[in-house]
PDB file of all heavy atoms in Angstrom:
ATOM      1  N   PRO L   9     164.038  32.140 117.556  1.00 52.00           N
ATOM      2  CA  PRO L   9     163.879  31.689 116.132  1.00 52.00           C
ATOM      3  C   PRO L   9     164.758  30.472 115.886  1.00 52.00           C
ATOM      4  O   PRO L   9     164.331  29.592 115.067  1.00 52.00           O
ATOM      5  CB  PRO L   9     164.374  32.893 115.350  1.00 52.00           C
ATOM      6  CG  PRO L   9     164.112  34.091 116.223  1.00 52.00           C
ATOM      7  CD  PRO L   9     164.349  33.594 117.635  1.00 52.00           C
ATOM      8  N   ARG L  10     165.937  30.374 116.446  1.00 52.00           N
ATOM      9  CA  ARG L  10     166.763  29.235 116.218  1.00 52.00           C
ATOM     10  C   ARG L  10     166.143  27.968 116.776  1.00 52.00           C
ATOM     11  O   ARG L  10     166.216  26.882 116.137  1.00 52.00           O
ATOM     12  CB  ARG L  10     168.126  29.422 116.873  1.00 52.00           C
ATOM     13  CG  ARG L  10     169.135  28.311 116.588  1.00 52.00           C
ATOM     14  CD  ARG L  10     170.503  28.626 117.151  1.00 52.00           C
ATOM     15  NE  ARG L  10     171.429  27.515 116.895  1.00 52.00           N
ATOM     16  CZ  ARG L  10     172.701  27.532 117.282  1.00 52.00           C
ATOM     17  NH1 ARG L  10     173.161  28.601 117.953  1.00 52.00           N
ATOM     18  NH2 ARG L  10     173.460  26.528 117.028  1.00 52.00           N
ATOM     19  N   ALA L  11     165.546  28.134 117.966  1.00 48.00           N
ATOM     20  CA  ALA L  11     164.904  26.873 118.554  1.00 48.00           C
ATOM     21  C   ALA L  11     163.670  26.507 117.705  1.00 48.00           C
ATOM     22  O   ALA L  11     163.443  25.258 117.605  1.00 48.00           O
ATOM     23  CB  ALA L  11     164.474  27.192 120.000  1.00 48.00           C
ATOM     24  N   ARG L  12     162.957  27.464 117.160  1.00 50.00           N
ATOM     25  CA  ARG L  12     161.780  27.100 116.336  1.00 50.00           C
ATOM     26  C   ARG L  12     162.214  26.372 115.089  1.00 50.00           C
ATOM     27  O   ARG L  12     161.470  25.648 114.476  1.00 50.00           O
ATOM     28  CB  ARG L  12     160.977  28.345 116.057  1.00 50.00           C
ATOM     29  CG  ARG L  12     160.180  28.928 117.195  1.00 50.00           C
ATOM     30  CD  ARG L  12     159.091  29.870 116.744  1.00 50.00           C
ATOM     31  NE  ARG L  12     159.700  31.052 116.066  1.00 50.00           N
ATOM     32  CZ  ARG L  12     159.965  32.176 116.700  1.00 50.00           C
ATOM     33  NH1 ARG L  12     159.764  32.319 117.998  1.00 50.00           N
ATOM     34  NH2 ARG L  12     160.447  33.190 115.997  1.00 50.00           N
ATOM     35  N   ARG L  13     163.456  26.681 114.603  1.00 54.00           N
ATOM     36  CA  ARG L  13     163.842  26.048 113.354  1.00 54.00           C
ATOM     37  C   ARG L  13     164.407  24.655 113.540  1.00 54.00           C
ATOM     38  O   ARG L  13     164.719  23.987 112.571  1.00 54.00           O
ATOM     39  CB  ARG L  13     164.930  26.900 112.703  1.00 54.00           C
ATOM     40  CG  ARG L  13     164.424  28.251 112.085  1.00 54.00           C
ATOM     41  CD  ARG L  13     165.397  28.772 111.146  1.00 54.00           C
ATOM     42  NE  ARG L  13     166.662  29.106 111.823  1.00 54.00           N
ATOM     43  CZ  ARG L  13     166.968  30.297 112.352  1.00 54.00           C
ATOM     44  NH1 ARG L  13     166.072  31.253 112.298  1.00 54.00           N
ATOM     45  NH2 ARG L  13     168.137  30.474 112.900  1.00 54.00           N
ATOM     46  N   GLN L  14     164.551  24.219 114.739  1.00 55.00           N
ATOM     47  CA  GLN L  14     165.136  22.870 114.978  1.00 55.00           C
ATOM     48  C   GLN L  14     164.130  21.805 114.523  1.00 55.00           C
ATOM     49  O   GLN L  14     162.949  21.946 114.641  1.00 55.00           O
ATOM     50  CB  GLN L  14     165.424  22.686 116.516  1.00 55.00           C
ATOM     51  CG  GLN L  14     166.616  23.480 116.980  1.00 55.00           C
ATOM     52  CD  GLN L  14     166.944  23.241 118.452  1.00 55.00           C
ATOM     53  OE1 GLN L  14     166.107  22.621 119.149  1.00 55.00           O
ATOM     54  NE2 GLN L  14     167.977  23.751 118.912  1.00 55.00           N
ATOM     55  N   THR L  15     164.745  20.762 113.951  1.00 54.00           N
ATOM     56  CA  THR L  15     163.872  19.643 113.434  1.00 54.00           C
ATOM     57  C   THR L  15     164.207  18.398 114.262  1.00 54.00           C
ATOM     58  O   THR L  15     165.065  18.350 115.089  1.00 54.00           O
ATOM     59  CB  THR L  15     164.208  19.396 112.001  1.00 54.00           C
ATOM     60  OG1 THR L  15     165.581  18.940 111.855  1.00 54.00           O
ATOM     61  CG2 THR L  15     164.043  20.639 111.132  1.00 54.00           C
ATOM     62  N   ALA L  16     163.418  17.404 113.939  1.00 56.00           N
ATOM     63  CA  ALA L  16     163.618  16.123 114.675  1.00 56.00           C
ATOM     64  C   ALA L  16     164.786  15.359 114.205  1.00 56.00           C
ATOM     65  O   ALA L  16     165.210  14.377 114.799  1.00 56.00           O
ATOM     66  CB  ALA L  16     162.318  15.275 114.497  1.00 56.00           C
ATOM     67  N   ILE L  17     165.389  15.786 113.051  1.00 61.00           N
ATOM     68  CA  ILE L  17     166.578  15.043 112.523  1.00 61.00           C
ATOM     69  C   ILE L  17     167.794  15.891 112.913  1.00 61.00           C
ATOM     70  O   ILE L  17     168.033  17.000 112.389  1.00 61.00           O
ATOM     71  CB  ILE L  17     166.453  14.921 110.967  1.00 61.00           C
ATOM     72  CG1 ILE L  17     165.154  14.231 110.612  1.00 61.00           C
ATOM     73  CG2 ILE L  17     167.655  14.165 110.426  1.00 61.00           C
ATOM     74  CD1 ILE L  17     164.897  14.172 109.137  1.00 61.00           C
ATOM     75  N   PRO L  18     168.643  15.352 113.740  1.00 62.00           N
ATOM     76  CA  PRO L  18     169.884  16.103 114.082  1.00 62.00           C
ATOM     77  C   PRO L  18     170.801  16.291 112.862  1.00 62.00           C
ATOM     78  O   PRO L  18     170.965  15.375 112.045  1.00 62.00           O
ATOM     79  CB  PRO L  18     170.570  15.180 115.132  1.00 62.00           C
ATOM     80  CG  PRO L  18     169.490  14.263 115.612  1.00 62.00           C
ATOM     81  CD  PRO L  18     168.540  14.068 114.496  1.00 62.00           C
ATOM     82  N   GLY L  19     171.339  17.435 112.731  1.00 65.00           N
ATOM     83  CA  GLY L  19     172.237  17.759 111.617  1.00 65.00           C
ATOM     84  C   GLY L  19     171.552  17.754 110.228  1.00 65.00           C
ATOM     85  O   GLY L  19     172.219  17.442 109.222  1.00 65.00           O
ATOM     86  N   PHE L  20     170.254  18.066 110.233  1.00 68.00           N
ATOM     87  CA  PHE L  20     169.538  18.057 108.949  1.00 68.00           C
ATOM     88  C   PHE L  20     170.142  18.982 107.946  1.00 68.00           C
ATOM     89  O   PHE L  20     170.249  18.646 106.704  1.00 68.00           O
ATOM     90  CB  PHE L  20     168.037  18.403 109.146  1.00 68.00           C
ATOM     91  CG  PHE L  20     167.271  18.514 107.916  1.00 68.00           C
ATOM     92  CD1 PHE L  20     166.811  17.366 107.262  1.00 68.00           C
ATOM     93  CD2 PHE L  20     166.961  19.773 107.382  1.00 68.00           C
ATOM     94  CE1 PHE L  20     166.086  17.484 106.122  1.00 68.00           C
ATOM     95  CE2 PHE L  20     166.212  19.860 106.212  1.00 68.00           C
ATOM     96  CZ  PHE L  20     165.781  18.699 105.576  1.00 68.00           C
ATOM     97  N   GLY L  21     170.521  20.197 108.332  1.00 73.00           N
ATOM     98  CA  GLY L  21     171.075  21.175 107.395  1.00 73.00           C
ATOM     99  C   GLY L  21     172.343  20.647 106.735  1.00 73.00           C
ATOM    100  O   GLY L  21     172.516  20.771 105.526  1.00 73.00           O
ATOM    101  N   LEU L  22     173.237  20.114 107.548  1.00 76.00           N
ATOM    102  CA  LEU L  22     174.514  19.614 107.024  1.00 76.00           C
ATOM    103  C   LEU L  22     174.253  18.355 106.118  1.00 76.00           C
ATOM    104  O   LEU L  22     174.789  18.245 104.993  1.00 76.00           O
ATOM    105  CB  LEU L  22     175.431  19.190 108.155  1.00 76.00           C
ATOM    106  CG  LEU L  22     176.758  18.538 107.751  1.00 76.00           C
ATOM    107  CD1 LEU L  22     177.568  19.554 106.912  1.00 76.00           C
ATOM    108  CD2 LEU L  22     177.556  18.122 108.975  1.00 76.00           C
ATOM    109  N   ALA L  23     173.345  17.522 106.521  1.00 77.00           N
ATOM    110  CA  ALA L  23     173.056  16.351 105.718  1.00 77.00           C
ATOM    111  C   ALA L  23     172.416  16.720 104.377  1.00 77.00           C
ATOM    112  O   ALA L  23     172.734  16.146 103.339  1.00 77.00           O
ATOM    113  CB  ALA L  23     172.196  15.363 106.494  1.00 77.00           C
ATOM    114  N   PHE L  24     171.500  17.711 104.479  1.00 75.00           N
ATOM    115  CA  PHE L  24     170.855  18.147 103.236  1.00 75.00           C
ATOM    116  C   PHE L  24     171.854  18.805 102.283  1.00 75.00           C
ATOM    117  O   PHE L  24     171.814  18.612 101.073  1.00 75.00           O
ATOM    118  CB  PHE L  24     169.708  19.129 103.617  1.00 75.00           C
ATOM    119  CG  PHE L  24     168.882  19.579 102.442  1.00 75.00           C
ATOM    120  CD1 PHE L  24     168.039  18.658 101.837  1.00 75.00           C
ATOM    121  CD2 PHE L  24     168.961  20.859 102.017  1.00 75.00           C
ATOM    122  CE1 PHE L  24     167.312  19.071 100.741  1.00 75.00           C
ATOM    123  CE2 PHE L  24     168.187  21.273 100.916  1.00 75.00           C
ATOM    124  CZ  PHE L  24     167.353  20.374 100.299  1.00 75.00           C
ATOM    125  N   GLY L  25     172.791  19.569 102.836  1.00 79.00           N
ATOM    126  CA  GLY L  25     173.792  20.203 101.966  1.00 79.00           C
ATOM    127  C   GLY L  25     174.710  19.171 101.318  1.00 79.00           C
ATOM    128  O   GLY L  25     175.038  19.349 100.159  1.00 79.00           O
ATOM    129  N   ILE L  26     175.069  18.157 102.118  1.00 81.00           N
ATOM    130  CA  ILE L  26     175.947  17.130 101.505  1.00 81.00           C
ATOM    131  C   ILE L  26     175.184  16.352 100.384  1.00 81.00           C
ATOM    132  O   ILE L  26     175.752  16.018  99.357  1.00 81.00           O
ATOM    133  CB  ILE L  26     176.418  16.174 102.587  1.00 81.00           C
ATOM    134  CG1 ILE L  26     177.404  16.902 103.554  1.00 81.00           C
ATOM    135  CG2 ILE L  26     177.113  14.956 101.997  1.00 81.00           C
ATOM    136  CD1 ILE L  26     177.839  16.069 104.738  1.00 81.00           C
TER     137      ILE L  26
END
Side-chain angles (χ1 to χ4, degrees):
R10 183 176 180 180
R12 287 198 299 267
R13 288 197 301 267
Q14 288 181 352
T15 66
I17 305 176
F20 174 78
L22 178 62
F24 186 67
I26 294 174

